[in-house]
Amino acid sequence: GENVEQHPSTLSVQEGDSAVIKCTYSDSASNYFPWYKQELGKRPQLIIDIRSNVGEKKDQRIAVTLNKTAKHFSLHITETQPEDSAVYFCAASTGGFKTIFGAGTRLFVKA
Amino acid sequence: GEEVAQTPKHLVRGEGQKAKLYCAPIKGHSYVFWYQQVLKNEFKFLISFQNENVFDETGMPKERFSAKCLPNSPCSLEIQATKLEDSAVYFCASSQGGGLAVNEQFFGPGTRLTVL
């Protein structure tokens, strides 16, 4: 069945450093790739997304890259801040009707 | 409304009892999704709706889980004969578009189900 693998499961960085989270997906029909941030006890919130016709997208300190051939996409956070600490989930969606999430990456940003 | 609403916030059931969760999508959103999150990770897709029509239910354990989205009513997710492993936070999400117009899913605050 469809599957999204996410690595690493835990990531600890020093404030100001960059953080990179990587995901691979199995369903070649996937056409939408959102990234969500979930703080403890709260709902997931979209931080950035990318569609299958685009290779890269940037929004201030956050960027996402997509390699459709390799079925691989990554989240890059630059100049990390303590408030970036949270669990980050990648997801792959096929037509928006079914979204498969990765297992999550717990990011710790040390001040 | 401007946010996805879910009720109740917490639900406690004895094993074997029924549980029913409700979700009101954002007004104007045609797509509704249910997810199960166990142990604060591992979002599992359960089912999606386009208006009142089931679109994808491949994630649903059909023998005990059922869901509906009826016109002019909140969507619901019902679990018959709950089991201990059903303990999780159930999130509902809604989005405006699908297919080629797929876009952001907005999540509700979740319902924490505890099965004792």
Side-chain angles (χ1 to χ4, degrees):
Chain A
E2 303 95 334
N3 147 262
V4 174
E5 291 191 3
Q6 183 171 347
H7 300 282
S9 56
T10 307
L11 180 59
S12 184
V13 299
Q14 204 65 40
E15 183 178 2
D17 287 350
S18 295
V20 180
I21 302 170
K22 298 182 179 182
C23 291
T24 57
Y25 61 98
S26 61
D27 187 352
S28 54
S30 296
N31 63 345
Y32 175 66
F33 305 90
W35 285 87
Y36 286 87
K37 176 183 179 182
Q38 188 179 29
E39 295 176 0
L40 191 62
K42 296 191 175 177
R43 72 190 79 187
Q45 297 206 302
L46 183 80
I47 53 170
I48 196 167
D49 56 13
I50 191 166
R51 297 176 196 281
S52 56
N53 58 348
V54 174
E56 186 172 353
K57 184 176 176 181
K58 192 172 180 182
D59 182 4
Q60 299 183 334
R61 297 187 297 110
I62 296 171
V64 59
T65 58
L66 171 65
N67 181 331
K68 278 199 71 181
T69 305
K71 295 186 196 166
H72 174 272
F73 58 115
S74 301
L75 177 73
H76 304 251
I77 306 174
T78 57
E79 299 170 31
T80 52
Q81 300 165 3
E83 51 265 38
D84 294 331
S85 297
V87 181
Y88 291 81
F89 292 92
C90 64
S93 179
T94 305
F97 304 130
K98 181 171 185 174
T99 302
I100 305 298
F101 281 75
T105 295
R106 192 170 295 276
L107 174 64
F108 297 95
V109 180
K110 295 176 283 187
Chain B
E2 294 300 315
E3 284 195 337
V4 176
Q6 286 188 251
T7 56
K9 195 170 179 179
H10 300 282
L11 189 57
V12 180
R13 288 288 179 265
E15 204 173 4
Q17 291 185 317
K18 186 170 74 175
K20 196 163 185 178
L21 292 60
Y22 297 92
C23 167
I26 292 172
K27 197 173 180 182
H29 282 194
S30 304
Y31 298 86
V32 172
F33 308 81
W34 284 98
Y35 296 94
Q36 179 194 57
Q37 188 179 35
V38 179
L39 297 175
K40 298 179 184 177
N41 275 43
E42 299 286 350
F43 271 98
K44 182 188 172 190
F45 168 83
L46 295 176
I47 190 168
S48 61
F49 288 85
Q50 182 183 15
N51 297 312
E52 61 266 28
N53 303 307
V54 173
F55 220 93
D56 188 315
E57 57 182 344
T58 51
M60 288 278 274
K62 289 182 192 173
E63 61 278 6
R64 296 184 300 109
F65 284 59
S66 62
K68 290 179 189 175
C69 275
L70 300 175
N72 304 313
S73 297
C75 296
S76 64
L77 176 70
E78 189 167 346
I79 310 172
Q80 303 284 344
T82 52
K83 295 184 178 182
L84 295 176
E85 60 261 33
D86 297 332
S87 295
V89 179
Y90 290 82
F91 284 98
C92 171
S94 72
S95 73
Q96 204 167 30
L100 294 176
V102 64
N103 55 18
E104 179 181 358
Q105 292 181 26
F106 292 83
F107 280 76
T111 293
R112 180 176 296 280
L113 172 65
T114 302
V115 181
L116 304 173

